Amino acid sequence: MQNRVAESHYALLATAIYTFIVWYLGGLVEQRLYMQLGIFAVCTYLMMELNNANALIRIYSRMVSCSFMVLSALSLYAIVPLGVSLVMLCFITFLLTLFNIYQDKRAAGWTFYAFVCLGIASTIFPQIVFFLPFVWMFMGFLLMALGPRTFWASVVGFIVPYWFIVPYCLLTGSMDFFINLFRQFVDFQPLFHYENIRLHQLLSFAITFLLAAIGTVHFLRNSFRDKIRTRMFFNIFIYLSLLIVVFIVLQPQHFNILISMLIVVTSPLIGHFVALTRTRTTNVTFCLLMLIVVAATIFNLLVTTGLLDLGTWVLKQPINT
């Protein structure tokens, strides 16, 4: 069953229908989430391009984009806010563009465009600036593309959005917005602030983290089968997933945005596992994971729409840590 699903030409369509149903039940019409749904559709297409352009899976399979849609449906409540959707879109575009600089220290153009996306994301989620040193390390050691040209292109690209924000704030007399935005770059909020984390959020995080761990272990055991270029890209996914998990543990108040970013880097990892394993154990694991994800998605829908008494209680009660 696992391999029939992974290699099916209808898997993407079936998953898209399933995801649309989840969006509909999650308040697509009542809350007028049409713009968010459109952004999500673009994100799904870009995830498909990320797989196709970089040959992340060495056989025909749509499991990267399918995994992305299923995990997004699981955490629909997190990606529904417009700001979170835009950060997810910028993050995917950043990765898709960044991979074009592989082994090219003179690729200033691609680097500039990639970091423009990251800079736009920083206007919504300023704390993304903490990922910059690690991204430069990835460029140097994994992409082998960090040189003077690409480094300064990344710096200029990241600050480009602020070239437009500052004049706008000056013209409209709203410099407080820019000052508050700048303060968030250096304001590292209190650690381990779990008072506002709810059970359905923990459930989404646990499942996404489990899938990332399964995909990571599988890839590390079988990476010798892939090309060196593909290995470098997956190493970036693995390291980013670890960084995001650490960030969630340290700063859970940014849960929604961080879980959306974790979904992006987990999708290729678990997609690789589903598409390229063929044992009885992995087939059973795949079936169990499908049941768990679907059941958790239903639970999250009931909780966030208030149709489940337990869910309503969970939303009102803080979790003791």
Side-chain angles (χ1 to χ4, degrees):
M1 178 181 177
Q2 172 191 349
N3 301 119
R4 286 200 300 269
V5 171
E7 300 173 14
S8 172
H9 290 264
Y10 302 103
L12 186 65
L13 177 61
T15 308
I17 294 173
Y18 162 80
T19 307
F20 181 79
I21 293 173
V22 174
W23 271 81
Y24 181 79
L25 296 176
L28 174 63
V29 178
E30 293 84 353
Q31 301 180 37
R32 300 182 180 276
L33 304 176
Y34 306 117
M35 181 176 294
Q36 289 90 328
L37 179 61
I39 295 173
F40 173 73
V42 176
C43 289
T44 303
Y45 171 76
L46 292 177
M47 288 298 294
M48 187 166 56
E49 283 299 311
L50 183 67
N51 176 37
N52 294 341
N54 301 290
L56 298 179
I57 299 179
R58 57 183 180 272
I59 64 172
Y60 175 85
S61 178
R62 298 298 187 190
M63 281 299 101
V64 172
S65 47
C66 289
S67 300
F68 173 75
M69 285 191 285
V70 170
L71 289 176
S72 297
L74 170 67
S75 301
L76 182 63
Y77 62 88
I79 68 172
V80 158
L82 185 58
V84 178
S85 299
L86 291 173
V87 170
M88 178 186 282
L89 176 62
C90 291
F91 187 56
I92 298 172
T93 308
F94 164 73
L95 291 174
L96 180 61
T97 310
L98 184 70
F99 287 172
N100 286 296
I101 72 172
Y102 180 70
Q103 289 188 337
D104 188 358
K105 295 183 179 181
R106 299 179 61 84
W110 285 116
T111 306
F112 173 82
Y113 298 134
F115 279 82
V116 166
C117 298
L118 212 59
I120 294 173
S122 73
T123 63
I124 303 170
F125 178 51
Q127 289 76 13
I128 206 169
V129 72
F130 295 116
F131 287 92
L132 281 180
F134 299 100
V135 173
W136 285 323
M137 291 174 61
F138 299 155
M139 290 172 59
F141 295 105
L142 298 177
L143 297 177
M144 293 165 283
L146 183 62
R149 290 170 62 90
T150 52
F151 174 77
W152 289 112
S154 68
V155 173
V156 174
F158 187 82
I159 64 176
V160 157
Y162 299 92
W163 295 355
F164 298 92
I165 291 177
V166 173
Y168 173 79
C169 291
L170 288 173
L171 290 174
T172 58
S174 56
M175 282 302 294
D176 290 342
F177 169 78
F178 175 74
I179 294 172
N180 291 332
L181 186 65
F182 183 76
R183 284 176 178 170
Q184 293 184 59
F185 282 115
V186 295
D187 181 19
F188 200 74
Q189 299 180 25
L191 302 178
F192 311 114
H193 191 72
Y194 294 105
E195 285 77 5
N196 296 321
I197 297 297
R198 303 295 182 254
L199 181 59
H200 63 288
Q201 294 175 304
L202 287 178
L203 181 63
S204 298
F205 172 70
I207 293 175
T208 306
F209 176 72
L210 174 64
L211 296 180
I214 291 174
T216 297
V217 172
H218 155 73
F219 182 78
L220 293 177
R221 293 184 59 188
N222 298 273
S223 60
F224 65 92
R225 302 178 187 274
D226 289 297
K227 297 179 180 179
I228 295 177
R229 184 172 184 267
T230 306
R231 294 181 212 169
M232 298 299 103
F233 295 162
F234 271 92
N235 283 331
I236 291 176
F237 294 140
I238 292 170
Y239 289 131
L240 279 175
S241 66
L242 292 174
L243 287 171
I244 294 169
V245 167
V246 171
F247 205 151
I248 290 176
V249 172
L250 294 177
Q251 298 269 271
Q253 54 267 43
H254 303 302
F255 178 86
N256 285 353
I257 289 180
L258 291 172
I259 196 68
S260 71
M261 295 170 63
L262 184 60
I263 288 171
V264 171
V265 295
T266 298
S267 299
L269 293 171
I270 195 62
H272 194 277
F273 167 80
V274 173
L276 299 175
T277 53
R278 298 178 176 275
T279 67
R280 178 180 178 85
T281 302
T282 58
N283 186 55
V284 173
T285 302
F286 169 74
C287 295
L288 288 175
L289 290 175
M290 283 185 60
L291 292 175
I292 292 171
V293 171
V294 172
T297 302
I298 294 172
F299 175 79
N300 286 349
L301 279 175
L302 293 175
V303 168
T304 53
T305 56
L307 297 177
L308 187 64
D309 291 339
L310 173 63
T312 304
W313 182 87
V314 169
L315 283 172
K316 293 180 179 178
Q317 301 297 323
I319 293 176
N320 294 323
T321 58

